[in-house]
Amino acid sequence: MQMTDLIAMLPELVMLVITCLMLLTVFIKEQKVNDEDVFETPRASQLTYQLTLVTLLGLSFAFGLQAVDQPVHAFNNMFLVDALSSLLKSVACLALLISLIYSKQYLVDRGLFRVDFFALTMLSLLGQCILISGSNLMSLYLGLELMALPVYALVAMQRDSRWSIEAAMKYFVLGAMASGFLLYGMSMLYGATGSLDLNEIYRAVGSGGINRLVLAFAVVFIVSGLAFKLGTVPYHMWVPDVYQGAPTAVTLLIAGAPKLAAFALVFRLLVGGLLPLTADWQPMIMILAVLSLIVGNLTAIAQSNLKRMLAYSTISHMGFMILGMLSIFDQHAYTAALFYAVTYVLTTLGSFGLLMLLSRQGYECETLDDLKGLNKRNPWMAFIGLILMFSLAGIPPTVGFAAKLSILETIVDAGYLYLAIIAVLTSLIGAFYYLRVVKVMYFDEPIQTEAIAAQGIAKAIFTVNGLFVLLAGIFPATLMALCLSAMSKTLLS
């Protein structure tokens, strides 16, 4: 191990040390009194929460400053620092920061404002960062498992809720199955190429001297595992149940930053390692995308539970995102997919944030009826909600429109006009259930009359979140240029 290796991984090491110190400080300073759980002590929880926010803000800046023109390979090429990884990790830290600000009052009201909650979220973020920077099959898999295992515990943290326990069990079992598929595909790939390094795999596969049948089976298992992690059809069965069963704060942790890590996993494996096998994995990606667009949008129409509706919405959006992976080594197509992933995560933060801001102790805002008449109760929150729904539907001038338009341009340029037609038609279907939410907020009479007790800082972040979605749609060039710069530097290297 060299000093350059440690410097390359310094932000992740800082994250790990701070997370361990959170737990150690609790056990050293807090004593169990009358069998009180040390993780539930108010003073420790508040200090840990503040430390977590400060750490995430600092890490977001650190990862942004870490962006390099030339990639840095560390730990025998197991860990890669490049422009793409720096951008994704910076946005992931920012997404988790916003998620925790939205979640504070929600967690307090449900007895989940605990030290172990924040420690688990930080460990999951650490896994995401390792996954995003993985350039070796081993580091990719370790990062994936470190990202997933803490989330299983978070889903089940509301121990008195049978829905949460059921969701955690489903998530764990199906997640283990997906990991098994992915690991089996990776083992076949290693057996065929003799290497775990993605660059070596790329060269070995491109040489043409490897048994194509073995590689084809490896691709099938790898793409199946990726589809599970993305939640695309037909591997989507866990998404709606987990989204609905988990506490809304945990649902946001699943729907937010991990999507960026999932994009990185798809990009590193399919483009960084298996690009010569495009003829094998591209038809599978195409089928997954089309099925996700159709099933996700059609099924979402029938949902009255907002969390389930947003779950099926996620399935359709993941299908839309992977359409950008169909162009062969096209930096503009990959940039469009990256832009879509980033903007989708930022929009999703606000959508689930709205549900948490409207929830209170003993009451969950999670059905369409709960949003009835929101414009009469709080016109500004209804307006921000309208912007977020318009963005998810892809209606101009929001950033969701710019993201969908960029994907459509790339698939038309690649010669897949029929896919563009399918994507547009399914987006029109999807617009129905998003506009239904707007109709409920603006034209129905309110059922809930209690005052909205959201904290000031959470409401301020919600406002900034919504306005960013609007302004980034009116002026998308800056964010698109940032994504293009990161992707072009990564591909050229």
Side-chain angles (χ1 to χ4, degrees):
M1 183 186 300
Q2 300 178 357
M3 184 59 66
T4 53
D5 295 339
L6 296 177
I7 294 175
M9 205 178 183
L10 183 59
E12 285 83 1
L13 293 175
V14 170
M15 190 188 311
L16 177 61
V17 170
I18 290 177
T19 304
C20 293
L21 287 176
M22 289 179 187
L23 299 174
L24 287 175
T25 303
V26 171
F27 282 112
I28 292 173
K29 290 189 175 182
E30 303 289 347
Q31 302 294 327
K32 286 188 176 182
V33 179
N34 298 325
D35 296 325
E36 181 184 12
D37 189 341
V38 293
F39 291 123
E40 294 182 351
T41 52
R43 182 179 64 173
S45 299
Q46 182 64 28
L47 288 175
T48 304
Y49 173 74
Q50 294 172 351
L51 177 60
T52 302
L53 295 187
V54 172
T55 302
L56 290 172
L57 184 61
L59 287 172
S60 183
F61 279 110
F63 284 126
L65 296 174
Q66 199 181 33
V68 291
D69 292 333
Q70 295 297 323
V72 177
H73 299 272
F75 298 99
N76 294 321
N77 204 31
M78 293 187 69
F79 191 84
L80 173 66
V81 177
D82 58 8
L84 177 62
S85 68
S86 299
L87 174 62
L88 287 175
K89 287 189 283 190
S90 179
V91 177
C93 290
L94 182 63
L96 182 56
L97 172 68
I98 295 172
S99 299
L100 292 178
I101 292 175
Y102 283 148
S103 304
K104 180 180 179 182
Q105 191 58 48
Y106 182 93
L107 296 172
V108 171
D109 292 341
R110 286 149 188 81
L112 300 177
F113 193 72
R114 298 159 49 100
V115 174
D116 49 345
F117 183 95
F118 304 117
L120 288 171
T121 58
M122 291 294 284
L123 288 174
S124 181
L125 178 64
L126 178 61
Q128 294 168 37
C129 292
I130 294 173
L131 175 58
I132 289 170
S133 284
S135 59
N136 182 289
L137 296 181
M138 186 67 71
S139 56
L140 285 173
Y141 186 76
L142 290 176
L144 180 65
E145 291 303 295
L146 181 55
M147 177 183 75
L149 289 174
V151 179
Y152 300 149
L154 288 171
V155 174
M157 186 164 282
Q158 203 167 14
R159 294 187 291 264
D160 57 347
S161 170
R162 69 181 185 88
W163 298 107
S164 294
I165 301 301
E166 180 184 348
M169 290 298 296
K170 289 180 179 178
Y171 195 18
F172 175 73
V173 172
L174 293 175
M177 185 186 302
S179 297
F181 280 4
L182 195 60
L183 186 59
Y184 190 65
M186 287 178 172
S187 66
M188 294 184 72
L189 194 60
Y190 171 67
T193 61
S195 177
L196 295 171
D197 186 275
L198 290 178
N199 292 329
E200 294 296 328
I201 291 172
Y202 182 94
R203 284 190 283 268
V205 172
S207 68
I210 300 175
N211 189 312
R212 294 285 298 184
L213 183 61
V214 176
L215 290 177
F217 272 104
V219 168
V220 168
F221 280 103
I222 287 175
V223 173
S224 297
L226 293 176
F228 261 111
K229 296 303 180 182
L230 287 171
T232 54
V233 178
Y235 305 101
H236 67 292
M237 65 286 294
W238 63 271
V239 180
D241 290 339
V242 172
Y243 273 45
Q244 182 181 4
T248 306
V250 179
T251 304
L252 179 53
L253 296 179
I254 299 171
K259 300 305 180 190
L260 300 173
F263 170 83
L265 178 62
V266 172
F267 181 81
R268 300 294 189 197
L269 281 175
L270 298 186
V271 178
L274 299 176
L275 191 64
L277 297 177
T278 302
D280 294 316
W281 58 258
Q282 195 175 64
M284 296 180 65
I285 291 293
M286 192 180 301
I287 293 172
L288 293 173
V290 171
L291 289 177
S292 298
L293 288 170
I294 295 173
V295 174
N297 283 308
L298 287 176
T299 312
I301 292 176
Q303 308 304 315
S304 59
N305 184 286
L306 289 168
K307 289 164 71 175
R308 287 189 77 86
M309 187 200 80
L310 290 173
Y312 284 108
S313 166
T314 297
I315 293 168
S316 67
H317 281 286
M318 291 300 100
F320 220 110
M321 183 190 74
I322 60 177
L323 286 175
M325 309 301 292
L326 295 179
S327 299
I328 302 176
F329 208 74
D330 184 347
Q331 69 176 17
H332 294 287
Y334 301 149
T335 298
L338 173 61
F339 180 75
Y340 196 99
V342 171
T343 55
Y344 169 73
V345 167
L346 294 176
T347 307
T348 298
L349 292 174
S351 302
F352 281 101
L354 176 63
L355 301 186
M356 282 188 286
L357 293 181
L358 296 178
S359 298
R360 58 182 182 273
Q361 190 169 11
Y363 166 72
E364 292 279 348
C365 176
E366 59 179 19
T367 67
L368 281 171
D369 289 343
D370 296 328
L371 290 182
K372 283 185 175 181
L374 178 60
N375 184 53
K376 295 180 179 179
R377 298 174 60 201
N378 193 314
W380 182 249
M381 291 186 71
F383 174 67
I384 299 298
L386 178 144
I387 292 174
L388 296 168
M389 291 300 110
F390 274 22
S391 182
L392 290 173
I395 298 174
T398 60
V399 73
F401 171 76
K404 288 192 174 184
L405 181 62
S406 64
I407 293 288
L408 292 173
E409 288 176 346
T410 62
I411 57 179
V412 170
D413 291 342
Y416 299 109
L417 180 60
Y418 62 96
L419 285 180
I421 293 173
I422 293 173
V424 170
L425 291 176
T426 52
S427 293
L428 290 174
I429 295 172
F432 170 80
Y433 57 84
Y434 294 123
L435 293 178
R436 183 176 59 182
V437 175
V438 175
K439 175 260 181 187
V440 165
M441 290 192 298
Y442 276 85
F443 299 105
D444 287 10
E445 290 298 319
I447 294 177
Q448 299 293 327
T449 58
E450 290 80 358
I452 299 173
Q455 289 187 327
I457 184 158
K459 294 170 83 171
I461 293 295
F462 181 66
T463 297
V464 173
N465 195 167
L467 293 180
F468 175 84
V469 168
L470 179 61
L471 293 176
I474 299 174
F475 307 104
T478 302
L479 184 57
M480 180 66 80
L482 184 63
C483 294
L484 178 60
S485 174
M487 188 58 70
S488 59
K489 290 176 182 178
T490 300
L491 292 175
L492 289 175
S493 63

